[in-house]
Amino acid sequence: MKNQEVVKIFNDIADILEIKGENPFRIRAYRKAAQNIESLTQDIESLIEKKKLEEIPGIGKDLAQKIEEIISTGRLRFYEDLKKEIPKGLIDLLSVPSLGPKTAKLLYDKLRIKNIEDLEKMAKSHKLLKVPGIREKTEENILRGIEMLKRGKERQPLGKVLPMAMDILNGLKDSKDVKKISLAGSLRRMKDTIKDIDILATSPNPSKVMKAFVSLPPVKEILARGITKSSIITHEGIQVDLRVVEEGSFGAALAYFTGSKAHNIRLREMAMKKGLKINEYGIFNEKTDRKIAGKEEEDIYRVLGLPYIPPELREDTGEIESAINGELPELVEIEDIKGDLHVHSKWSDGSHTLEELAFAVKERGYEYLAITDHSKSLGIARGLTKESLLEMKKEVASLNKRLRGIRLLAGTEVDIRSDGTIDYPDELLSKLDIVVAAIHSGFRQEKEQMTKRVVRAMRNPFIHIIAHPTGRLLGEREGYDLDIDMILKTAKDTNTALEINGYPLRLDLNDINSRKAKELGVSLVISTDAHIISQLDYMENGVKVARRGWLSKDDILNTLPWEKLKKKIAKTGQ
Ligand code: DGT
Ligand code: CA
């Protein structure tokens, strides 16, 4: 897949154009194109062959030609020329999250900072403060950004790693030498960030499996190649470990290598108390060494007197106790979801018409879909004026008359301004089925102010849902400084639902806050924030977060049919 190469080049171009102070719409066009290519499930070479590049939303003639040039020649002349206009060091600085192109250029011009090490040193010794416009807070943010960059290299977002892992798994699954195969490790537990990919398999012919593994297209470098274990690095820099184990140990190995380590330690303690020994080969009688189980993972738990614990819960955060007491939650499943409550259409910065979206969600088995385009203050995202919002509502009504088996909901994603007010009047909001509110700017407010801002929005009687409540972007931006307990409490008091956003870089709320929300009786929804049809599948990511947050079907509003959901989201207690 060359998709990632194109994504990187387009993102770099956007950065350079930003440094040069070019037209924001042009910059955004490159970023959107990069985003849309990143969420493609097909590889871009096959789209070129089928002459279907321009069917990718956001790709017109010009970008299609550029993609073809990248794929056929391995480079892009326009990009090479553009790079010559900007010092190399400056481009490197841009990889620091929270350091925007304008500040980067300022630092480069004034202090001649040419690389990230210099930047870190100068920020630590407060030399950046000499530059007018740079405050202590900016320095702190830069240092935090550098930390994130370092950490980001160690751990990558689930949404990025999972498709790569499935690619590898699928590349091996159909081989006649592979009998059983499964993901293990943090990826099987569906953690939001992943250090490396762990895969387990069984085979009558392990060396053939190893050979196939190290020859797969994603492999850049072979770190180790053995008979039962090999490790490789992919082109994206992620390590993948494959272990081939005996058929009779597969279940035990799966339990062991799924982890987490903390969960395993608890299992081992339980085994010891029962006079048993547990390891990656099986579960044994401590005295006689007789093997009691190992082939099936369920049996490991059964022998310990436990019901099967789903991988998403295996973090030693109470799942063992709940399992002992027979109180494990029945976790929500993707099939329980009846609709998506946060989707963008062509009316703002999405790529499809309402009708196209309606068909796409119907295909996914949903009953309803909320169209929540941006509000007017988001000029960059083509936010709707009051008039166009009402027109959109009309289109929704007329489609609802015509379409069968799917209901569109007229909604909006309003911007929460820095003082917590909203950029549409209440009277307009009251006409909509669903109002989602979110912060899109002014991320750096102090904790108290930020919390007040969101609380004020939640007290608005017409706002049903707070979207991506903490604003984090994995590997790019930490969440806003928010008093999350206060947010949860206000959500409960005002009956405002909080969103679990399935966008791969967001997964926000995260597992921990979702679980807290459930414990406090706060309503949750899982939505995708899709801007193109393929992103509707991000629902699966959201469901994974919810499962790690111990959530059941009953905790999630969009598992309800619309008529019930409508009653449940009505606001109370302002
Ligand atoms: P990651 O890779 O940091 O995202 O997280 P994991 O959980 O995949 O960690 P990793 O890849 O180091 O190890 C995979 C699993 O192997 C881990 O979840 C539990 C198991 N494991 C690794 N080392 C130990 C250990 O020293 N003791 C026990 N009991 N289990 C271990
Ligand atoms: Ca791992």
Side-chain angles (χ1 to χ4, degrees):
M1 294 252 264
K2 298 242 170 87
N3 302 27
Q4 288 304 326
E5 271 173 52
V6 180
V7 169
K8 180 175 183 315
I9 292 180
F10 281 9
N11 275 327
D12 282 357
I13 291 176
D15 285 345
I16 299 174
L17 294 177
E18 211 167 335
I19 290 177
K20 292 180 60 190
E22 297 246 349
N23 177 345
F25 287 92
R26 186 162 177 232
I27 297 166
R28 195 167 163 85
Y30 277 100
R31 289 213 200 284
K32 286 220 65 172
Q35 239 176 39
N36 292 349
I37 294 166
E38 194 157 31
S39 58
L40 283 179
T41 44
Q42 301 130 295
D43 74 63
I44 203 146
E45 289 149 296
S46 73
L47 290 178
I48 295 178
E49 265 167 41
K50 292 184 207 140
K51 304 210 176 316
K52 283 192 166 172
L53 269 188
E54 287 182 46
E55 284 178 23
I56 307 172
I59 307 287
K61 236 201 185 79
D62 173 55
L63 291 186
Q65 269 174 7
K66 290 194 164 83
I67 295 171
E68 285 183 28
E69 188 184 330
I70 297 170
I71 300 301
S72 62
T73 67
R75 55 200 291 270
L76 177 65
R77 226 182 35 229
F78 170 70
Y79 172 54
E80 301 299 327
D81 291 344
L82 208 54
K83 276 199 291 192
K84 284 183 202 140
E85 296 180 36
I86 300 280
K88 162 137 188 3
L90 186 47
I91 297 176
D92 290 345
L93 293 189
L94 285 179
S95 60
V96 177
S98 83
L99 183 58
K102 285 204 189 84
T103 315
K105 184 161 186 321
L106 192 67
L107 293 174
Y108 184 88
D109 290 344
K110 301 275 181 218
L111 298 173
R112 295 279 130 204
I113 294 180
K114 286 195 193 60
N115 54 46
I116 294 169
E117 291 82 72
D118 285 357
L119 180 67
E120 188 173 11
K121 264 189 230 146
M122 291 184 124
K124 280 192 174 146
S125 55
H126 304 296
K127 295 216 173 82
L128 305 187
L129 295 177
K130 282 191 218 150
V131 179
I134 303 280
R135 290 171 301 154
E136 236 163 274
K137 187 96 188 166
T138 325
E139 258 186 0
E140 273 169 34
N141 286 329
I142 288 175
L143 283 173
R144 225 184 298 159
I146 295 175
E147 260 319 292
M148 273 188 106
L149 186 69
K150 288 182 186 163
R151 249 185 295 137
K153 286 202 176 124
E154 284 161 24
R155 304 195 69 82
Q156 305 247 17
L158 172 70
K160 209 168 146 190
V161 181
L162 189 57
M164 297 176 200
M166 292 315 289
D167 220 23
I168 293 174
L169 207 69
N170 291 331
L172 294 172
K173 207 173 61 188
D174 296 333
S175 146
K176 62 177 184 349
D177 297 310
V178 173
K179 287 192 87 175
K180 286 186 182 169
I181 188 158
S182 171
L183 295 177
S186 51
L187 203 50
R188 184 159 179 250
R189 303 199 309 282
M190 298 294 169
K191 254 185 91 123
D192 49 15
T193 62
I194 307 289
K195 184 193 69 194
D196 55 21
I197 301 174
D198 304 282
I199 302 178
L200 288 182
T202 64
S203 165
N205 205 338
S207 63
K208 279 204 171 154
V209 179
M210 289 304 165
K211 186 169 177 213
F213 173 58
V214 300
S215 324
L216 287 171
V219 175
K220 183 180 174 207
E221 194 188 330
I222 302 169
L223 295 178
R225 181 173 165 185
I227 301 165
T228 58
K229 185 190 167 195
S230 295
S231 300
I232 61 98
I233 301 267
T234 67
H235 294 290
E236 287 83 11
I238 301 210
Q239 180 169 337
V240 188
D241 295 346
L242 171 68
R243 289 182 175 81
V244 177
V245 301
E246 295 286 337
E247 191 86 22
S249 295
F250 187 69
L254 201 52
Y256 182 87
F257 290 109
T258 296
S260 67
K261 201 167 157 182
H263 177 88
N264 288 354
I265 290 172
R266 293 292 306 275
L267 294 188
R268 202 183 315 143
E269 284 167 4
M270 284 186 76
M272 268 158 64
K273 283 198 188 126
K274 289 183 189 292
L276 302 168
K277 189 178 78 184
I278 185 170
N279 57 31
E280 67 258 54
Y281 304 106
I283 186 157
F284 303 83
N285 182 307
E286 173 96 79
K287 288 206 187 90
T288 63
D289 240 2
R290 191 177 65 86
K291 186 163 171 176
I292 302 168
K295 191 165 182 233
E296 306 292 338
E297 197 181 35
E298 280 84 355
D299 293 342
I300 304 289
Y301 287 96
R302 191 179 44 75
V303 169
L304 293 175
L306 295 173
Y308 181 75
I309 301 180
E312 294 94 328
L313 299 186
R314 300 183 195 170
E315 299 290 346
D316 189 24
T317 53
E319 74 280 10
I320 308 261
E321 290 73 10
S322 292
I324 292 172
N325 297 331
E327 288 168 357
L328 283 176
E330 197 173 316
L331 300 179
V332 60
E333 316 245 6
I334 184 83
E335 291 77 19
D336 296 328
I337 302 294
K338 292 214 163 57
D340 199 326
L341 296 174
H342 185 171
V343 171
H344 297 272
S345 78
K346 251 189 172 153
W347 279 92
S348 70
D349 60 346
S351 299
H352 301 280
T353 63
L354 301 193
E355 189 161 4
E356 286 163 351
L357 287 167
F359 282 118
V361 294
K362 200 175 154 186
E363 226 171 66
R364 283 159 175 81
Y366 293 163
E367 295 174 9
Y368 49 86
L369 162 72
I371 304 297
T372 54
D373 279 308
H374 291 287
S375 57
K376 64 182 178 197
S377 63
L378 277 192
I380 189 83
R382 284 188 282 140
L384 273 61
T385 60
K386 177 179 175 183
E387 291 70 31
S388 45
L389 182 62
L390 290 172
E391 256 179 71
M392 186 279 290
K393 189 178 174 232
K394 266 192 212 151
E395 191 189 339
V396 164
S398 87
L399 278 172
N400 279 338
K401 278 201 196 110
R402 192 152 58 78
L403 299 176
R404 293 283 155 261
I406 187 77
R407 180 187 191 113
L408 293 182
L409 306 173
T412 178
E413 179 185 7
V414 286
D415 186 38
I416 305 174
R417 292 188 289 212
S418 53
D419 61 354
T421 59
I422 299 303
D423 59 344
Y424 284 145
D426 286 358
E427 169 268 332
L428 181 60
L429 296 182
S430 72
K431 292 190 167 75
L432 299 171
D433 299 313
I434 288 282
V435 177
V436 175
I439 286 177
H440 297 99
S441 59
F443 304 129
R444 302 231 177 106
Q445 284 176 339
E446 299 292 334
K447 185 170 186 171
E448 203 188 326
Q449 202 184 354
M450 198 58 147
T451 307
K452 265 194 195 154
R453 177 179 179 184
V454 181
V455 164
R456 183 162 181 193
M458 283 194 280
R459 293 201 181 284
N460 180 315
F462 300 100
I463 289 177
H464 302 116
I465 300 167
I466 303 293
H468 37 78
T470 78
R472 72 145 174 202
L473 290 177
L474 287 168
E476 288 177 20
R477 183 173 82 206
E478 283 178 69
Y480 328 126
D481 217 352
L482 267 185
D483 178 348
I484 193 78
D485 293 325
M486 182 68 188
I487 300 294
L488 294 175
K489 183 179 177 306
T490 314
K492 172 70 184 161
D493 293 346
T494 59
N495 195 37
T496 310
L498 299 181
E499 178 186 87
I500 297 174
N501 186 298
Y503 214 82
L505 292 189
R506 291 194 184 274
L507 305 184
D508 174 20
L509 291 179
N510 67 5
D511 48 1
I512 293 169
N513 288 331
S514 299
R515 188 170 169 191
K516 266 194 191 170
K518 171 190 172 137
E519 279 161 10
L520 292 170
V522 173
S523 299
L524 291 142
V525 301
I526 309 177
S527 305
T528 64
D529 212 345
H531 287 68
I532 58 175
I533 281 172
S534 60
Q535 294 173 345
L536 290 167
D537 296 334
Y538 290 163
M539 188 59 80
E540 303 216 6
N541 299 333
V543 170
K544 282 162 196 157
V545 174
R547 289 171 65 86
R548 281 184 59 84
W550 291 55
L551 304 190
S552 305
K553 187 178 170 186
D554 295 345
D555 303 311
I556 315 263
L557 294 181
N558 52 323
T559 62
L560 293 170
W562 166 238
E563 289 306 328
K564 283 196 179 153
L565 167 64
K566 190 174 163 182
K567 290 196 186 108
K568 276 262 195 174
I569 54 169
K571 294 292 290 275
T572 54
Q574 269 69 40

